[in-house]
Amino acid sequence: MEKEKLIRAAIDNLPGAYAPYSHFQVSAALLCRDGSIYTGFNIENAAYSAAVCAERSAIFRAVCDGKREFEAIAVCGGKDGVITDYCAPCGVCRQVMREFCSPADFLVIMAKSPEDYVEMTLKELLPRSFGPENLA
Ligand code: THU
């Protein structure tokens, strides 16, 4: 039920995605340990490399709001906002998740609909990763 709610939040947020260059719209909904949900979407830029992904939008929004503990993120997206496949987070977003999330516990939910999704842990998506404890 909690997963369905998270996926719905991501899907409802998808139309806002700003993707005038790739036309590939992505949305994410991040579940914080305190139960709050932060959404984000991709925001592209005429200088292409300045674009930010949906996952990072959601994470940075939450971190700016003082949140540091996260349990799961739902991601959805597709060309012109039409979801036809499961949307997997890019490598940079996986690494940003690694900063704040427990690899073995954090769930990445790639959704086509609230009923049709694939879930993987961050550890499965980013094995043998480099994180904050490596610098301790
Ligand atoms: N994108 C995301 O926002 N998240 C992903 O997980 C994959 C890719 C965005 C970046 C760019 O705006 C567009 O999708 C095409 O790569």
Side-chain angles (χ1 to χ4, degrees):
M1 197 54 194
E2 191 67 43
K3 282 177 196 166
E4 274 185 28
K5 189 180 159 194
L6 198 62
I7 293 166
R8 256 181 236 289
I11 292 173
D12 289 350
N13 186 55
L14 184 58
Y18 180 74
Y21 305 107
S22 73
H23 302 285
F24 194 88
Q25 293 183 290
V26 184
S27 174
L30 177 70
L31 176 64
C32 304
R33 183 146 302 157
D34 66 5
S36 57
I37 291 174
Y38 283 79
T39 57
F41 45 57
N42 56 332
I43 304 171
E44 297 187 344
N45 192 282
Y48 293 176
S49 62
V52 66
C53 290
E55 297 89 328
R56 274 175 287 151
S57 295
I59 293 167
F60 293 158
R61 206 178 194 181
V63 172
C64 284
D65 223 5
K67 308 297 166 79
R68 296 266 173 97
E69 294 183 313
F70 308 122
E71 296 197 337
I73 192 166
V75 185
C76 65
K79 199 88 179 166
D80 298 316
V82 180
I83 303 169
T84 56
D85 206 350
Y86 307 110
C87 185
C90 79
V92 175
C93 288
R94 293 177 198 201
Q95 184 63 39
V96 169
M97 291 172 196
R98 177 67 177 83
E99 188 66 25
F100 298 104
C101 309
S102 156
D105 302 317
F106 186 72
L107 275 186
V108 179
I109 302 164
M110 296 157 269
K112 286 196 207 177
S113 76
E115 297 80 31
D116 183 357
Y117 58 86
V118 172
E119 62 179 40
M120 294 177 75
T121 63
L122 179 57
K123 190 173 182 179
E124 289 173 314
L125 286 171
L126 193 70
R128 293 191 67 92
S129 59
F130 188 87
E133 65 279 4
N134 295 106
L135 297 177

